[in-house]
Amino acid sequence: MASSPLLPVTTPQGKQSPLKYSYGGADGNGNVTPPQSNSPGSPTPGGNRGLQNLQGLTMKVQQQNKLVRFFQDMGKKAVPFELGDFAQVRRVHFNPEHHMSVLFQMHGSVWPSVFPFCCANVLIALGVMYLRTSLDIDLTFPSTGHTFMSIMVSFLVVTRNSITYARFMAAGEHLSTSYRTCRELMQHVCVLTMHDTSPGAQKWRQNVAYRTILLLRVTMAAIEFNSTNVDPWDVVPDGSLRNEDGGEEDEDQDVMYFSLVNQENRVTKWAHGQRTLSDENFRAPIVLAYNLRAEIMKQRNGKLLANDMHCNEELKLLGFVGDFITAFHELQTMITTPFPFPLVQMTRTFLFFWVFTLPFCLVKEISEPIQVLLIIFFITYGFVGLEYVSMELEDPFGDDPSDFDDLGMAMVVFEDIYITIFKTDGSQSATSLRQKVKARIDRPELW
């Protein structure tokens, strides 16, 4: 079974490996190898049905290889298309079946943060033992009260972890919804108008795709702003973009008002109160969603599509935009609604008091120094480590190893949209869209 190379993909170890597509019964140039008969002159198995299947396979393979060559041409001529350039996957990779690698992997681990606390508590234990044995100063006390306090500490730590993990998984679900709606929107746009191959229809599909990509990119910038400090308005068109007819694009002119240059004006001109830059950045996806909805409805002017879309089809497309904004608002709510401070304060107060008074109890209860030190070290690692896990998962948008690779996954959605445009309007339209995206939002300084 022959295979055709597509593009090099950067693996988690930083090595590039060719991504290959395999086509049964075909070589990399789209030439189909017919089934081999058992004896000379024997007919094709299945008669006409076998011939029809072979013809269908031929068409499928040729289409797939056109797609492969399209991405190869994009990689060689249009733009650099290596995934490792601006979309480095930041996720933690590990093999759950390899116990030693899980135990000793430092990337994404809480060990670097927790280890100083473990050492500090061990030093406290050594100091207590030294004072008790050498200077006859006994600072230890019975562990009865400490045992009761451990119940409260365990409850607070586990509760905080449970809430944080639930928020983390909910954030992942909302991100998945935003990616899904972008893919579904473009596939429905193309499928519902695929029989209209006029230049106006192709232009409209490409513009809807461009607005969809722009909306998704700005949304990723908005939710990552607290970690990256990249203003979402920096990734939108700058107002100098002109359409094919030579006129200014109205939506881009509207967006231009909100550019970083006019940051002071946009914050104060219409505000009913004090607004932070973070507040203003969350407006970017809402403005871009309006532009996308306007672009979808442009087909009603009678100049783009041969036949107007049915109102139910329009509502279907607009519904995807609504689902996207719903997911964005859920993400915004999670970002702007912090973890309850009283619970965080109580958890850390009880945690640190209990952990760092542990040596005063165990030194009295356990006579073997090595046992005391080991128990204190790993108890400190367990309880303080759980608190650091909560801190790690509390803000999953950014550059930390355990954060979501939202920007990298968004780029995958961009590529899926290119493929959808390619299958509907061909290589030229998809390449034109890719170049347009690169010129506007695929700038290295913003990644």
Side-chain angles (χ1 to χ4, degrees):
M1 188 176 295
S3 61
S4 178
L6 183 57
L7 287 170
V9 176
T10 303
T11 63
Q13 291 75 20
K15 300 179 180 178
Q16 287 192 342
S17 60
L19 178 64
K20 298 193 175 188
Y21 284 89
S22 298
Y23 312 116
D27 59 20
N29 297 321
N31 302 318
V32 178
T33 304
Q36 299 294 329
S37 58
N38 295 330
S39 60
S42 60
T44 302
N48 293 333
R49 182 180 300 176
L51 181 60
Q52 292 175 357
N53 292 339
L54 181 60
Q55 292 173 344
L57 175 63
T58 303
M59 296 178 61
K60 182 178 180 180
V61 168
Q62 290 176 346
Q63 184 179 18
Q64 289 175 324
N65 279 288
K66 285 181 180 179
L67 183 61
V68 171
R69 288 193 291 271
F70 161 66
F71 277 113
Q72 288 175 333
D73 291 340
M74 287 177 66
K76 296 176 181 177
K77 302 176 183 179
V79 291
F81 205 70
E82 288 77 11
L83 298 181
D85 286 347
F86 304 134
Q88 296 290 342
V89 176
R90 299 184 295 266
R91 284 183 178 175
V92 178
H93 297 274
F94 64 95
N95 182 6
E97 298 180 357
H98 197 291
H99 304 301
M100 299 304 292
S101 65
V102 171
L103 289 175
F104 295 103
Q105 176 174 313
M106 289 295 104
H107 180 65
S109 174
V110 296
W111 268 117
S113 300
V114 178
F115 186 75
F117 292 93
C118 299
C119 295
N121 219 13
V122 167
L123 292 176
I124 293 175
L126 288 173
V128 172
M129 286 188 292
Y130 174 77
L131 292 175
R132 190 178 186 217
T133 58
S134 300
L135 302 180
D136 199 22
I137 301 176
D138 191 0
L139 299 179
T140 62
F141 49 81
S143 62
T144 306
H146 223 259
T147 302
F148 285 111
M149 186 180 290
S150 65
I151 300 175
M152 177 62 72
V153 173
S154 301
F155 170 77
L156 290 172
V157 171
V158 172
T159 299
R160 174 159 156 73
N161 269 268
S162 300
I163 296 175
T164 305
Y165 182 73
R167 287 165 56 95
F168 181 84
M169 296 304 295
E173 182 178 351
H174 298 319
L175 277 177
S176 177
T177 299
S178 65
Y179 301 145
R180 175 183 60 81
T181 52
C182 290
R183 292 185 174 102
E184 289 291 303
L185 170 62
M186 280 315 304
Q187 291 204 4
H188 278 73
V189 164
C190 291
V191 169
L192 292 175
T193 62
M194 63 188 301
H195 298 294
D196 190 343
T197 58
S198 63
Q202 293 184 10
K203 176 184 176 182
W204 176 71
R205 284 189 289 264
Q206 185 183 111
N207 287 341
V208 173
Y210 173 69
R211 297 291 176 193
T212 303
I213 292 174
L214 196 62
L215 173 60
L216 182 57
R217 176 64 184 93
V218 168
T219 301
M220 297 301 103
I223 64 177
E224 284 196 342
F225 174 74
N226 290 335
S227 299
T228 63
N229 290 323
V230 175
D231 195 320
W233 297 107
D234 282 346
V235 300
V236 299
D238 59 5
S240 62
L241 186 65
R242 295 183 176 272
N243 59 26
E244 295 179 0
D245 299 328
E248 295 288 349
E249 295 191 354
D250 295 338
E251 290 84 357
D252 290 339
Q253 286 296 314
D254 293 339
V255 170
M256 180 57 185
Y257 174 79
F258 295 95
S259 67
L260 187 61
V261 177
N262 297 317
Q263 172 184 324
E264 182 178 355
N265 291 332
R266 76 165 188 257
V267 173
T268 59
K269 183 176 182 180
W270 299 322
H272 288 275
Q274 293 294 328
R275 296 291 175 264
T276 65
L277 185 58
S278 179
D279 295 333
E280 293 300 316
N281 287 332
F282 279 121
R283 288 198 174 106
I286 299 174
V287 175
L288 271 295
Y290 173 87
N291 291 348
L292 176 57
R293 288 183 170 115
E295 191 67 49
I296 292 174
M297 298 306 296
K298 273 186 179 180
Q299 45 81 29
R300 279 195 174 187
N301 62 14
K303 301 178 181 179
L304 298 175
L305 299 181
N307 299 310
D308 292 340
M309 299 185 71
H310 192 273
C311 61
N312 289 338
E313 296 174 339
E314 294 175 342
L315 289 175
K316 183 70 173 178
L317 300 182
L318 294 175
F320 288 123
V321 184
D323 292 341
F324 181 95
I325 290 299
T326 299
F328 164 70
H329 280 301
E330 294 292 342
L331 292 170
Q332 181 184 5
T333 300
M334 298 184 67
I335 294 173
T336 57
T337 306
F339 200 92
F341 172 73
L343 183 57
V344 176
Q345 187 181 50
M346 285 188 61
T347 301
R348 294 193 184 174
T349 301
F350 275 92
L351 173 63
F352 287 120
F353 178 81
W354 183 82
V355 165
F356 288 107
T357 56
L358 189 63
F360 299 93
C361 297
L362 293 185
V363 169
K364 186 179 185 66
E365 300 291 334
I366 303 175
S367 58
E368 291 293 333
I370 300 299
Q371 294 181 12
V372 173
L373 297 180
L374 288 176
I375 291 173
I376 289 175
F377 183 90
F378 284 103
I379 288 180
T380 305
Y381 168 72
F383 279 87
V384 179
L386 285 176
E387 178 63 17
Y388 267 89
V389 169
S390 297
M391 294 166 59
E392 184 76 18
L393 300 183
E394 195 169 0
D395 181 14
F397 310 109
D399 296 323
D400 293 335
S402 297
D403 288 345
F404 293 119
D405 183 32
D406 42 37
L407 205 52
M409 295 301 101
M411 287 191 68
V412 176
V413 177
F414 299 169
E415 295 157 11
D416 292 339
I417 292 176
Y418 303 150
I419 293 174
T420 303
I421 292 294
F422 166 79
K423 291 176 69 66
T424 306
D425 295 326
S427 174
Q428 183 177 358
S429 180
T431 303
S432 174
L433 174 62
R434 178 65 177 93
Q435 292 173 330
K436 191 175 182 181
V437 170
K438 179 178 175 58
R440 295 295 88 200
I441 65 176
D442 197 9
R443 290 172 286 171
E445 66 270 16
L446 300 178
W447 294 74

mmCIF file of all heavy atoms in Angstrom, residues 231-255:
data_model
loop_
_atom_site.group_PDB
_atom_site.id
_atom_site.type_symbol
_atom_site.label_atom_id
_atom_site.label_comp_id
_atom_site.label_asym_id
_atom_site.label_seq_id
_atom_site.Cartn_x
_atom_site.Cartn_y
_atom_site.Cartn_z
ATOM 1 N N ASP A 231 -2.828 42.188 23.296
ATOM 2 C CA ASP A 231 -4.135 42.809 23.126
ATOM 3 C C ASP A 231 -4.862 42.147 21.956
ATOM 4 O O ASP A 231 -4.346 42.094 20.848
ATOM 5 C CB ASP A 231 -3.956 44.305 22.832
ATOM 6 C CG ASP A 231 -5.243 45.086 23.002
ATOM 7 O OD1 ASP A 231 -6.292 44.561 22.600
ATOM 8 O OD2 ASP A 231 -5.194 46.210 23.529
ATOM 9 N N PRO A 232 -6.100 41.651 22.167
ATOM 10 C CA PRO A 232 -6.838 41.035 21.050
ATOM 11 C C PRO A 232 -7.039 41.968 19.874
ATOM 12 O O PRO A 232 -7.114 41.522 18.726
ATOM 13 C CB PRO A 232 -8.184 40.653 21.698
ATOM 14 C CG PRO A 232 -7.875 40.487 23.138
ATOM 15 C CD PRO A 232 -6.823 41.509 23.446
ATOM 16 N N TRP A 233 -7.109 43.272 20.138
ATOM 17 C CA TRP A 233 -7.307 44.213 19.033
ATOM 18 C C TRP A 233 -6.074 44.300 18.139
ATOM 19 O O TRP A 233 -6.150 44.834 17.023
ATOM 20 C CB TRP A 233 -7.661 45.588 19.581
ATOM 21 C CG TRP A 233 -8.951 45.595 20.349
ATOM 22 C CD1 TRP A 233 -9.098 45.703 21.698
ATOM 23 C CD2 TRP A 233 -10.270 45.451 19.820
ATOM 24 N NE1 TRP A 233 -10.418 45.650 22.045
ATOM 25 C CE2 TRP A 233 -11.170 45.504 20.916
ATOM 26 C CE3 TRP A 233 -10.787 45.291 18.541
ATOM 27 C CZ2 TRP A 233 -12.546 45.396 20.754
ATOM 28 C CZ3 TRP A 233 -12.162 45.188 18.379
ATOM 29 C CH2 TRP A 233 -13.025 45.237 19.468
ATOM 30 N N ASP A 234 -4.943 43.802 18.613
ATOM 31 C CA ASP A 234 -3.746 43.807 17.780
ATOM 32 C C ASP A 234 -3.809 42.770 16.670
ATOM 33 O O ASP A 234 -3.008 42.829 15.726
ATOM 34 C CB ASP A 234 -2.500 43.533 18.636
ATOM 35 C CG ASP A 234 -2.066 44.767 19.409
ATOM 36 O OD1 ASP A 234 -2.553 45.865 19.081
ATOM 37 O OD2 ASP A 234 -1.253 44.622 20.339
ATOM 38 N N VAL A 235 -4.701 41.801 16.771
ATOM 39 C CA VAL A 235 -4.739 40.736 15.770
ATOM 40 C C VAL A 235 -5.869 40.917 14.776
ATOM 41 O O VAL A 235 -6.089 40.048 13.929
ATOM 42 C CB VAL A 235 -4.871 39.355 16.447
ATOM 43 C CG1 VAL A 235 -3.708 39.112 17.371
ATOM 44 C CG2 VAL A 235 -6.193 39.220 17.191
ATOM 45 N N VAL A 236 -6.596 42.042 14.844
ATOM 46 C CA VAL A 236 -7.672 42.293 13.889
ATOM 47 C C VAL A 236 -7.137 43.150 12.755
ATOM 48 O O VAL A 236 -6.085 43.776 12.877
ATOM 49 C CB VAL A 236 -8.864 42.992 14.569
ATOM 50 C CG1 VAL A 236 -9.430 42.124 15.667
ATOM 51 C CG2 VAL A 236 -8.458 44.342 15.126
ATOM 52 N N PRO A 237 -7.838 43.221 11.619
ATOM 53 C CA PRO A 237 -7.372 44.057 10.510
ATOM 54 C C PRO A 237 -7.193 45.498 10.952
ATOM 55 O O PRO A 237 -7.922 45.999 11.805
ATOM 56 C CB PRO A 237 -8.501 43.922 9.477
ATOM 57 C CG PRO A 237 -9.135 42.618 9.787
ATOM 58 C CD PRO A 237 -9.041 42.472 11.288
ATOM 59 N N ASP A 238 -6.226 46.179 10.318
ATOM 60 C CA ASP A 238 -5.858 47.518 10.756
ATOM 61 C C ASP A 238 -6.602 48.625 10.029
ATOM 62 O O ASP A 238 -6.265 49.792 10.144
ATOM 63 C CB ASP A 238 -4.349 47.725 10.586
ATOM 64 C CG ASP A 238 -3.915 47.548 9.131
ATOM 65 O OD1 ASP A 238 -4.796 47.362 8.261
ATOM 66 O OD2 ASP A 238 -2.702 47.603 8.876
ATOM 67 N N GLY A 239 -7.607 48.283 9.252
ATOM 68 C CA GLY A 239 -8.389 49.310 8.584
ATOM 69 C C GLY A 239 -7.847 49.715 7.228
ATOM 70 O O GLY A 239 -8.543 50.369 6.454
ATOM 71 N N SER A 240 -6.616 49.336 6.905
ATOM 72 C CA SER A 240 -6.041 49.674 5.608
ATOM 73 C C SER A 240 -6.332 48.599 4.572
ATOM 74 O O SER A 240 -5.964 48.731 3.423
ATOM 75 C CB SER A 240 -4.530 49.846 5.734
ATOM 76 O OG SER A 240 -3.920 48.631 6.149
ATOM 77 N N LEU A 241 -7.012 47.530 4.991
ATOM 78 C CA LEU A 241 -7.325 46.436 4.086
ATOM 79 C C LEU A 241 -8.398 46.874 3.102
ATOM 80 O O LEU A 241 -9.396 47.467 3.464
ATOM 81 C CB LEU A 241 -7.812 45.226 4.887
ATOM 82 C CG LEU A 241 -8.058 43.933 4.113
ATOM 83 C CD1 LEU A 241 -6.755 43.424 3.541
ATOM 84 C CD2 LEU A 241 -8.702 42.896 5.003
ATOM 85 N N ARG A 242 -8.202 46.572 1.851
ATOM 86 C CA ARG A 242 -9.169 46.947 0.826
ATOM 87 C C ARG A 242 -9.709 45.694 0.162
ATOM 88 O O ARG A 242 -9.007 44.710 0.009
ATOM 89 C CB ARG A 242 -8.538 47.863 -0.234
ATOM 90 C CG ARG A 242 -8.109 49.195 0.347
ATOM 91 C CD ARG A 242 -7.561 50.108 -0.729
ATOM 92 N NE ARG A 242 -7.229 51.408 -0.182
ATOM 93 C CZ ARG A 242 -8.080 52.412 -0.082
ATOM 94 N NH1 ARG A 242 -9.322 52.260 -0.479
ATOM 95 N NH2 ARG A 242 -7.707 53.570 0.429
ATOM 96 N N ASN A 243 -10.978 45.795 -0.240
ATOM 97 C CA ASN A 243 -11.587 44.636 -0.894
ATOM 98 C C ASN A 243 -11.234 44.610 -2.362
ATOM 99 O O ASN A 243 -10.529 45.479 -2.875
ATOM 100 C CB ASN A 243 -13.108 44.646 -0.675
ATOM 101 C CG ASN A 243 -13.770 45.911 -1.227
ATOM 102 O OD1 ASN A 243 -13.256 46.526 -2.145
ATOM 103 N ND2 ASN A 243 -14.914 46.280 -0.649
ATOM 104 N N GLU A 244 -11.791 43.632 -3.053
ATOM 105 C CA GLU A 244 -11.399 43.447 -4.451
ATOM 106 C C GLU A 244 -11.882 44.597 -5.333
ATOM 107 O O GLU A 244 -11.353 44.814 -6.415
ATOM 108 C CB GLU A 244 -11.965 42.112 -4.948
ATOM 109 C CG GLU A 244 -11.360 40.907 -4.237
ATOM 110 C CD GLU A 244 -11.962 39.607 -4.734
ATOM 111 O OE1 GLU A 244 -12.840 39.678 -5.612
ATOM 112 O OE2 GLU A 244 -11.546 38.541 -4.250
ATOM 113 N N ASP A 245 -12.926 45.303 -4.899
ATOM 114 C CA ASP A 245 -13.443 46.397 -5.696
ATOM 115 C C ASP A 245 -12.723 47.715 -5.437
ATOM 116 O O ASP A 245 -13.051 48.742 -6.020
ATOM 117 C CB ASP A 245 -14.940 46.594 -5.403
ATOM 118 C CG ASP A 245 -15.733 45.334 -5.751
ATOM 119 O OD1 ASP A 245 -15.326 44.642 -6.696
ATOM 120 O OD2 ASP A 245 -16.739 45.053 -5.061
ATOM 121 N N GLY A 246 -11.723 47.681 -4.538
ATOM 122 C CA GLY A 246 -10.950 48.871 -4.254
ATOM 123 C C GLY A 246 -11.499 49.735 -3.154
ATOM 124 O O GLY A 246 -10.914 50.744 -2.805
ATOM 125 N N GLY A 247 -12.661 49.378 -2.592
ATOM 126 C CA GLY A 247 -13.261 50.152 -1.527
ATOM 127 C C GLY A 247 -12.871 49.628 -0.171
ATOM 128 O O GLY A 247 -12.437 48.497 -0.026
ATOM 129 N N GLU A 248 -13.061 50.463 0.839
ATOM 130 C CA GLU A 248 -12.738 50.049 2.195
ATOM 131 C C GLU A 248 -13.767 49.043 2.685
ATOM 132 O O GLU A 248 -14.951 49.119 2.351
ATOM 133 C CB GLU A 248 -12.730 51.259 3.128
ATOM 134 C CG GLU A 248 -11.662 52.275 2.827
ATOM 135 C CD GLU A 248 -10.281 51.785 3.203
ATOM 136 O OE1 GLU A 248 -10.183 50.763 3.882
ATOM 137 O OE2 GLU A 248 -9.303 52.429 2.790
ATOM 138 N N GLU A 249 -13.332 48.099 3.462
ATOM 139 C CA GLU A 249 -14.232 47.146 4.085
ATOM 140 C C GLU A 249 -14.847 47.784 5.322
ATOM 141 O O GLU A 249 -14.140 48.171 6.248
ATOM 142 C CB GLU A 249 -13.494 45.850 4.451
ATOM 143 C CG GLU A 249 -13.000 45.110 3.235
ATOM 144 C CD GLU A 249 -12.530 43.724 3.596
ATOM 145 O OE1 GLU A 249 -12.493 43.394 4.798
ATOM 146 O OE2 GLU A 249 -12.182 42.970 2.680
ATOM 147 N N ASP A 250 -16.185 47.918 5.324
ATOM 148 C CA ASP A 250 -16.870 48.655 6.379
ATOM 149 C C ASP A 250 -16.613 48.054 7.747
ATOM 150 O O ASP A 250 -16.387 48.763 8.717
ATOM 151 C CB ASP A 250 -18.373 48.682 6.095
ATOM 152 C CG ASP A 250 -18.695 49.463 4.830
ATOM 153 O OD1 ASP A 250 -17.855 50.305 4.444
ATOM 154 O OD2 ASP A 250 -19.757 49.230 4.250
ATOM 155 N N GLU A 251 -16.648 46.728 7.831
ATOM 156 C CA GLU A 251 -16.454 46.101 9.131
ATOM 157 C C GLU A 251 -15.064 46.387 9.672
ATOM 158 O O GLU A 251 -14.887 46.616 10.863
ATOM 159 C CB GLU A 251 -16.680 44.588 9.039
ATOM 160 C CG GLU A 251 -18.138 44.188 8.802
ATOM 161 C CD GLU A 251 -18.498 44.236 7.331
ATOM 162 O OE1 GLU A 251 -17.625 44.643 6.532
ATOM 163 O OE2 GLU A 251 -19.629 43.881 6.975
ATOM 164 N N ASP A 252 -14.070 46.376 8.796
ATOM 165 C CA ASP A 252 -12.715 46.656 9.250
ATOM 166 C C ASP A 252 -12.579 48.104 9.721
ATOM 167 O O ASP A 252 -11.831 48.402 10.646
ATOM 168 C CB ASP A 252 -11.713 46.383 8.132
ATOM 169 C CG ASP A 252 -11.596 44.894 7.853
ATOM 170 O OD1 ASP A 252 -11.944 44.107 8.746
ATOM 171 O OD2 ASP A 252 -11.180 44.538 6.745
ATOM 172 N N GLN A 253 -13.318 49.022 9.084
ATOM 173 C CA GLN A 253 -13.297 50.400 9.538
ATOM 174 C C GLN A 253 -13.923 50.518 10.927
ATOM 175 O O GLN A 253 -13.460 51.277 11.771
ATOM 176 C CB GLN A 253 -14.045 51.295 8.545
ATOM 177 C CG GLN A 253 -13.275 51.550 7.271
ATOM 178 C CD GLN A 253 -12.007 52.324 7.530
ATOM 179 O OE1 GLN A 253 -11.998 53.314 8.244
ATOM 180 N NE2 GLN A 253 -10.906 51.880 6.953
ATOM 181 N N ASP A 254 -14.987 49.728 11.170
ATOM 182 C CA ASP A 254 -15.594 49.737 12.494
ATOM 183 C C ASP A 254 -14.618 49.210 13.533
ATOM 184 O O ASP A 254 -14.519 49.748 14.637
ATOM 185 C CB ASP A 254 -16.864 48.862 12.496
ATOM 186 C CG ASP A 254 -17.964 49.462 11.626
ATOM 187 O OD1 ASP A 254 -17.900 50.677 11.372
ATOM 188 O OD2 ASP A 254 -18.855 48.710 11.199
ATOM 189 N N VAL A 255 -13.905 48.156 13.177
ATOM 190 C CA VAL A 255 -12.961 47.571 14.114
ATOM 191 C C VAL A 255 -11.785 48.513 14.363
ATOM 192 O O VAL A 255 -11.229 48.560 15.450
ATOM 193 C CB VAL A 255 -12.456 46.211 13.583
ATOM 194 C CG1 VAL A 255 -11.294 45.704 14.411
ATOM 195 C CG2 VAL A 255 -13.581 45.196 13.594
#
